[in-house]
Amino acid sequence: MTEISILIADDHEIIRFGISTYLSSSEGIEIVGEASTGEECIQLFQETHPDICILDIDMPDKNGIETAKEIRELEGDTKILILSMHINKDILRDALEANVDGYLLKNTEKADLLHGIRAIVKGQQVFSDPISNLMKESFLNKSSQSVSYDHQHITDREQEILQLIVDGLTSKQIAQELYISPRTVDTHRANLMEKLELNNIAELVRYAIQHNLVSVD
């Protein structure tokens, strides 16, 4: 198994130690650096080039969102996971605009954190349930003000897959649900994002809800 290299940035030493200790003991994980400030994180990032950065929101020098944006400018392919105690619409909006790959709360179970990291490295996006609910609530509040667009170019199969993506299913789960291969799911998802001129799953989910392309429980 190829090791996943991780850089952790959090200004609380005990939290950094706990995350690092747990992840270091997990198969296929290598902690390449720990930072207590945004500036220190950027410096370590340039030295280590990790696969994924785990960032707290509240840090000296640069907060987690500012740090994420700078990392994106340095290396756009690096995965970024926000790990925070905050559940706030404004912070969530800023995090999504920074193009993060996931947003988990600090009360997340250890096993769920590890699963989320591995999912992100595979190209998926992960959000704690309260964060997902806040995303849907925010997007639904905006949907009544949205302009109506013609989406007839979206196929029935793409519509099915779009609904399941918004429901939170992974490519493997969608494949099982529709009796198709995960590769086919990925192709349909890529086609959807190309047609709608979107860059990631978070944008796709937001767009689908805002324009009433899916049903939301």
Side-chain angles (χ1 to χ4, degrees):
M1 179 185 296
T2 302
E3 284 196 333
I4 300 171
S5 58
I6 298 176
L7 172 60
I8 301 169
D10 194 300
D11 63 337
H12 290 92
E13 184 178 358
I14 292 177
I15 292 177
R16 283 201 320 273
F17 176 78
I19 296 171
S20 177
T21 300
Y22 170 66
L23 293 179
S24 295
S25 67
S26 304
E27 183 180 1
I29 299 290
E30 178 188 11
I31 305 301
V32 296
E34 297 179 35
S36 60
T37 71
E39 289 289 358
E40 185 181 1
C41 177
I42 296 299
Q43 181 179 344
L44 284 172
F45 175 80
Q46 292 174 301
E47 294 172 2
T48 60
H49 305 283
D51 297 315
I52 181 169
C53 295
I54 300 178
L55 308 178
D56 185 24
I57 295 290
D58 295 323
M59 292 190 293
D61 300 330
K62 296 179 188 293
N63 64 35
I65 304 300
E66 293 168 335
T67 303
K69 289 179 179 178
E70 188 161 340
I71 288 171
R72 277 278 173 261
E73 291 175 359
L74 291 169
E75 292 185 22
D77 293 335
T78 301
K79 305 299 183 182
I80 299 174
L81 170 64
I82 296 293
L83 187 62
S84 174
M85 65 179 67
H86 294 291
I87 310 177
N88 179 291
K89 288 183 180 180
D90 292 334
I91 292 176
L92 175 58
R93 181 200 62 226
D94 292 343
L96 294 176
E97 288 178 354
N99 226 0
V100 302
D101 300 282
Y103 193 133
L104 297 178
L105 298 177
K106 285 187 174 178
N107 61 2
T108 298
E109 296 290 337
K110 293 187 293 185
D112 291 337
L113 172 60
L114 182 60
H115 174 77
I117 289 168
R118 289 178 170 154
I120 286 173
V121 169
K122 292 178 181 176
Q124 300 173 24
Q125 292 192 317
V126 296
F127 299 94
S128 292
D129 287 342
I131 299 298
S132 294
N133 292 337
L134 186 59
M135 288 170 63
K136 290 181 179 180
E137 178 187 334
S138 299
F139 300 157
L140 282 170
N141 287 342
K142 295 177 182 177
S143 65
S144 61
Q145 304 171 2
S146 298
V147 179
S148 177
Y149 291 90
D150 179 10
H151 298 104
Q152 293 181 356
H153 57 296
I154 296 178
T155 67
D156 290 342
R157 177 60 90 186
E158 288 169 348
Q159 179 69 45
E160 283 183 294
I161 289 173
L162 182 58
Q163 178 67 62
L164 294 172
I165 289 172
V166 172
D167 289 342
L169 274 66
T170 65
S171 291
K172 183 177 181 180
Q173 291 169 327
I174 294 173
Q176 293 171 343
E177 180 81 14
L178 299 179
Y179 301 100
I180 57 179
S181 72
R183 184 185 295 270
T184 300
V185 175
D186 291 340
T187 298
H188 283 302
R189 185 177 62 228
N191 289 341
L192 274 166
M193 289 193 287
E194 182 178 355
K195 287 179 178 181
L196 299 175
E197 299 181 355
L198 303 172
N199 298 311
N200 55 55
I201 296 299
E203 290 183 6
L204 182 61
V205 170
R206 175 169 52 194
Y207 187 95
I209 295 173
Q210 284 181 344
H211 295 92
N212 299 311
L213 299 181
V214 294
S215 60
V216 181
D217 295 331

